[in-house]
Amino acid sequence: MADKQVILTPEGLKKLEEELDFLKSSKRGQVAERIKQAIDYGDISENSEYEDAKNEQAFVEGRIITLEKMIRNAKLIDDAEIQTDIVTIGAKVLLKDLEDNSEFEYTIVGSAEADPSQSKISNESPVGKAVLGKNKGETVEVQVPMGKIKYQILDITK
């Protein structure tokens, strides 16, 4: 089975590369040192420090593999591909909740880069799916656990 393509902005790719570099250059060595120290304590069969360090090592190595795969399968969003007449991945979308008239802006990104606390939502999220391919002024309905929410697309920018 082919690996899933990972859609990233140049900024998102840089963050993944920085995390990978940190894990390989610093974190691996720190964890190896913790394992060495835990072994020096003696019997590892009942050594919680050793067990904890080995679990952390497994996590770090797993994350390295995941990051390498994501970077290898990255498809960068070219700034020139971002449109302002239609919602595409990479675009900033100003939405208005038609029920309470609140407004908020999201950047549509790939799932690997999504961070709602930074107003970055995935193209695979309910809101992301609903607005992709739509034009400024259109109204979309988003199915949420409590029912449907209607949003109007007020603006699309880069």
Side-chain angles (χ1 to χ4, degrees):
M1 185 173 153
D3 290 330
K4 181 181 173 188
Q5 189 175 57
V6 180
I7 300 169
L8 295 169
T9 62
E11 173 191 342
L13 178 61
K14 185 176 185 238
K15 281 183 177 180
L16 292 182
E17 289 171 337
E18 287 171 353
E19 181 183 356
L20 180 61
D21 183 55
F22 168 74
L23 291 174
K24 284 181 161 182
S25 65
S26 298
K27 194 68 175 175
R28 256 184 184 160
Q30 293 170 3
V31 174
E33 185 60 32
R34 280 188 59 208
I35 292 171
K36 182 181 173 296
Q37 287 175 348
I39 290 171
D40 290 344
Y41 291 144
D43 182 12
I44 61 171
S45 64
E46 294 181 20
N47 185 330
S48 63
E49 288 89 1
Y50 176 78
E51 196 63 38
D52 190 42
K54 289 299 281 183
N55 286 338
E56 185 178 9
Q57 181 184 43
F59 174 80
V60 168
E61 293 304 321
R63 183 66 180 156
I64 287 171
I65 291 168
T66 300
L67 289 170
E68 288 175 338
K69 186 188 254 186
M70 290 170 74
I71 291 167
R72 185 173 53 248
N73 295 308
K75 179 193 182 298
L76 281 183
I77 299 169
D78 184 357
D79 212 29
E81 295 174 10
I82 301 171
Q83 300 178 28
T84 56
D85 59 335
I86 188 170
V87 179
T88 58
I89 296 176
K92 289 183 182 178
V93 183
L94 180 63
L95 298 175
K96 178 179 181 179
D97 184 325
L98 294 178
E99 188 172 305
D100 67 10
N101 289 323
S102 60
E103 295 180 9
F104 39 93
E105 185 175 68
Y106 290 122
T107 301
I108 309 298
V109 296
S111 59
E113 209 173 330
D115 183 355
S117 69
Q118 299 290 314
S119 297
K120 293 180 178 182
I121 61 170
S122 167
N123 62 315
E124 298 173 10
S125 70
V127 174
K129 281 185 200 177
V131 299
L132 272 179
K134 302 293 191 259
N135 298 304
K136 181 177 172 180
E138 282 193 63
T139 300
V140 296
E141 276 190 6
V142 179
Q143 184 65 45
V144 295
M146 294 172 39
K148 290 185 179 180
I149 300 176
K150 286 187 179 183
Y151 295 116
Q152 181 179 20
I153 300 171
L154 298 178
D155 199 13
I156 305 167
T157 58
K158 288 187 179 190

